[in-house]
Amino acid sequence: MADSAPLWAAAALPLLLAPAALAVACADGRSAAPVREVLRLLVQQPRRTRAADALATRTGTVLLPLAAVLAAAVVPLGATPVSDLGDGVVWFNAMEALAWAAVWLTGWGPNSTLSLVGGYRFLAQGLAYEIPHMLALTTAALGAGSLRVTEIADAQRGLWFAVWMPAAFALYLLSAAAMSFWGPFGQPAGRDLAGGAAAELTGVGRLLLLGGRRLLLLVSAATAVPLFLGGGHGPLLPDWAWTLVKTGAVLALLLWLRRRLPGVRMDRYTELSWVVLTPLAVLQALVVAVVVLP
């Protein structure tokens, strides 16, 4: 069991994640000047639609980055997380589930057809990816015999879970892109809806939603490291350096896939999820259970 980081680390976590999310935006290359775009949104005047639910919109835009930061609290940088919870995997998944509420509230609040359709698209996407995602998390916890994220990382000193749980690892990466509506799963913020859930957002609200989206992708990539890639364990480099290298590799893979894969229709992905991905995830969990359980 690893010790939790000192209390000041909890306050510093958002300050560390914000520039990291900006770096993801720079690496993505969709915006030529992400820093300039951030500054523009900070000074942009908010736009309001008629009969909008301002409370729902503000709650949704704040909740998405907040959920990403809270999910990051159980992810170890090297060997030490901000909070080494005994049920860290459950906490991580619960914080991800807040993204459902955040995006839907953001889509509902403006009283706009386009944003509402974007919000409902994300709910449909969540119903498709969440069960394989939970099974992938459960498989990693089953392999280590623990729900504590640090103990899952320690259980991979000899062999990474990604090597003998390849289906669970692949399903986790798919769900990481889907939960942050990234790449082929970007339909909730699609151009055909003029931005989808973010269609009516301007200024700080839009910055929070788009920044929260990138934060969620970053945290999901970082969590893949202790769950499937051995955490900070590795030769020569210190634990924290290996964590950063592996996180960068997962992020690079997700960004590369964004440029290579076309957009996915949710009805087709839902069918694929229920017919192929969920049974595959169950089969992977059964194989792991046979190996590790007496």
Side-chain angles (χ1 to χ4, degrees):
M1 174 180 171
D3 295 329
S4 295
L7 186 60
W8 60 263
L13 186 59
L15 301 179
L16 294 174
L17 288 175
L22 186 60
V24 172
C26 294
D28 183 37
R30 289 298 179 98
S31 175
V35 175
R36 186 190 308 165
E37 180 68 9
V38 168
L39 296 175
R40 184 185 70 83
L41 290 174
L42 284 173
V43 300
Q44 188 179 44
Q45 292 296 318
R47 181 181 66 206
R48 290 183 174 85
T49 52
R50 182 177 298 178
D53 187 337
L55 179 60
T57 304
R58 290 170 184 168
T59 301
T61 54
V62 171
L63 191 57
L64 190 63
L66 178 62
V69 171
L70 291 175
V74 297
V75 180
L77 179 60
T80 306
V82 171
S83 180
D84 191 24
L85 299 179
D87 54 355
V89 171
V90 178
W91 172 267
F92 174 75
N93 195 43
M95 294 305 102
E96 289 176 333
L98 286 179
W100 290 36
V103 179
W104 185 82
L105 284 172
T106 303
W108 172 273
N111 190 32
S112 165
T113 301
L114 295 177
S115 64
L116 183 60
V117 171
Y120 275 115
R121 275 186 180 180
F122 189 74
L123 291 185
Q125 188 161 289
L127 291 173
Y129 80 73
E130 186 62 28
I131 292 181
H133 175 66
M134 288 191 296
L135 288 170
L137 294 176
T138 302
T139 302
L142 181 62
S146 175
L147 291 170
R148 192 185 299 273
V149 177
T150 52
E151 291 182 0
I152 295 174
D154 290 339
Q156 301 172 67
R157 288 182 182 272
L159 183 66
W160 291 357
F161 284 173
V163 175
W164 69 286
M165 304 178 189
F169 181 52
L171 291 171
Y172 177 85
L173 293 182
L174 275 177
S175 61
M179 76 180 65
S180 53
F181 41 109
W182 191 264
F185 303 100
Q187 300 302 316
R191 293 182 178 179
D192 60 322
L193 295 178
E200 302 297 340
L201 291 179
T202 56
V204 175
R206 187 176 184 86
L207 177 62
L208 286 173
L209 184 76
L210 299 182
R213 176 189 185 187
R214 290 182 167 89
L215 275 178
L216 202 55
L217 183 75
L218 172 66
V219 173
S220 299
T223 307
V225 174
L227 292 183
F228 294 101
L229 299 176
H233 303 302
L236 302 179
L237 299 177
D239 289 353
W240 63 266
W242 273 116
T243 299
L244 293 179
V245 168
K246 294 175 183 178
T247 300
V250 175
L251 268 176
L253 176 61
L254 292 173
L255 292 175
W256 179 82
L257 289 175
R258 173 175 184 165
R259 300 170 187 273
R260 295 297 184 272
L261 298 178
V264 178
R265 278 177 46 182
M266 276 307 99
D267 56 337
R268 293 181 178 176
Y269 183 68
T270 301
E271 181 179 1
L272 175 68
S273 176
W274 285 96
V275 175
V276 178
L277 301 184
T278 298
L280 179 62
V282 171
L283 180 61
Q284 176 74 94
L286 289 175
V287 170
V288 173
V290 170
V291 173
V292 303
L293 295 180

